[in-house]
Amino acid sequence: MFNVIIFGPPGAGKGTQSAMLLEKYELVHLSTGDVFRSNIKGETELGILAKSYIDKGQLVPDEVTIAMVEDFLKTRPDAKGFIFDGFPRTISQGEALDTILSNLNTTIDTVLALEVEEDELVKRLLERGKQSGRVDDQSEETIRNRFGEYNNKTEPLLAYYEKQDKLSRVHGMGQIDEIFARLCEAIDKKA
Ligand code: ADP
């Protein structure tokens, strides 16, 4: 298996780039944000719970998110590898992911971190809010909360993977294709 994590603050382009990467490297996409949103749409118990956090720009509790990810991975035994987009987002999620993967006899191979200036992120998110109707993209206050969550809870994970020599920081401003080429170069260097 070949497993990749893509990090980046909200609006960094993780979803766009993941869609291109999974095609090239034949990976299965796990976007925890997408799984939550489809549960919200289906009005499942998980969706109703997740919505109360997501709409405020807060993270969904670790136990809930980790159980969902474990279920997702276990039900896809034929995958050649995964691209993790939006997970892990806390140290405790990162540790849980290591355990889950080691039980499946696999591991994280490479970790990409997209870096984008905050002003550009706000611009992109407000624009996405207009196009997609995503509630969490429509207010600057919710967006700032998500940056706070990212800086406090997710950023520390970068050091966790840096220590394991798995992390590549990638400049995330410019044309989509240019950024994609940078990500591929970073993956191929570690593979
Ligand atoms: P973005 O990175 O653009 O903010 P996502 O679609 O990845 O958007 O996530 C949207 C929201 O879903 C997050 O703000 C958070 O509330 C929730 N969420 C997604 N992934 C996780 C996670 N791994 N742990 C906790 N909450 C999560």
Side-chain angles (χ1 to χ4, degrees):
M1 276 218 211
F2 185 69
N3 299 304
V4 182
I5 298 174
I6 185 160
F7 277 116
K14 301 184 292 288
T16 306
Q17 296 295 338
S18 295
M20 294 163 79
L21 290 169
L22 67 94
E23 209 170 304
K24 174 162 171 163
Y25 295 95
E26 297 180 58
L27 304 171
V28 173
H29 188 202
L30 170 53
S31 159
T32 41
D34 285 352
V35 179
F36 284 134
R37 279 186 291 277
S38 85
N39 275 278
I40 292 172
K41 220 168 156 199
E43 295 179 352
T44 67
E45 206 178 313
L46 173 65
I48 291 161
L49 177 76
K51 186 172 164 44
S52 62
Y53 295 93
I54 293 177
D55 285 356
K56 287 184 257 173
Q58 295 169 357
L59 293 185
V60 176
D62 281 340
E63 321 79 82
V64 177
T65 308
I66 291 165
M68 181 179 89
V69 168
E70 191 162 17
D71 192 55
F72 185 99
L73 297 180
K74 278 196 184 145
T75 50
R76 284 161 181 82
D78 297 331
K80 289 188 187 165
F82 293 93
I83 180 154
F84 295 95
D85 159 6
F87 183 90
R89 259 177 155 100
T90 62
I91 294 276
S92 136
Q93 291 182 12
E95 289 170 350
L97 181 60
D98 284 345
T99 307
I100 298 168
L101 291 180
S102 97
N103 288 336
L104 297 171
N105 290 317
T106 185
T107 185
I108 292 296
D109 295 284
T110 187
V111 178
L112 307 165
L114 279 171
E115 298 186 316
V116 178
E117 287 159 19
E118 198 161 306
D119 287 351
E120 166 76 13
L121 294 171
V122 176
K123 219 170 68 193
R124 289 185 191 176
L125 289 168
L126 290 172
E127 187 53 38
R128 187 170 74 184
K130 275 191 232 153
Q131 311 273 345
S132 72
R134 262 180 69 168
V135 179
D136 60 342
D137 284 341
Q138 289 178 19
S139 105
E140 193 155 338
E141 193 193 339
T142 310
I143 291 174
R144 299 273 172 209
N145 273 344
R146 282 150 67 203
F147 290 155
E149 292 279 67
Y150 184 82
N151 294 333
N152 295 332
K153 298 181 182 162
T154 308
E155 265 274 327
L157 268 169
L158 298 186
Y160 179 79
Y161 291 108
E162 201 153 39
K163 266 190 230 138
Q164 300 176 32
D165 198 27
K166 291 182 178 173
L167 182 74
S168 301
R169 293 174 192 271
V170 175
H171 183 50
M173 314 253 299
Q175 299 292 320
I176 289 175
D177 286 345
E178 265 166 34
I179 301 165
F180 179 62
R182 289 179 207 138
L183 291 170
C184 294
E185 199 190 324
I187 292 178
D188 297 341
K189 230 188 265 169
K190 295 265 181 193

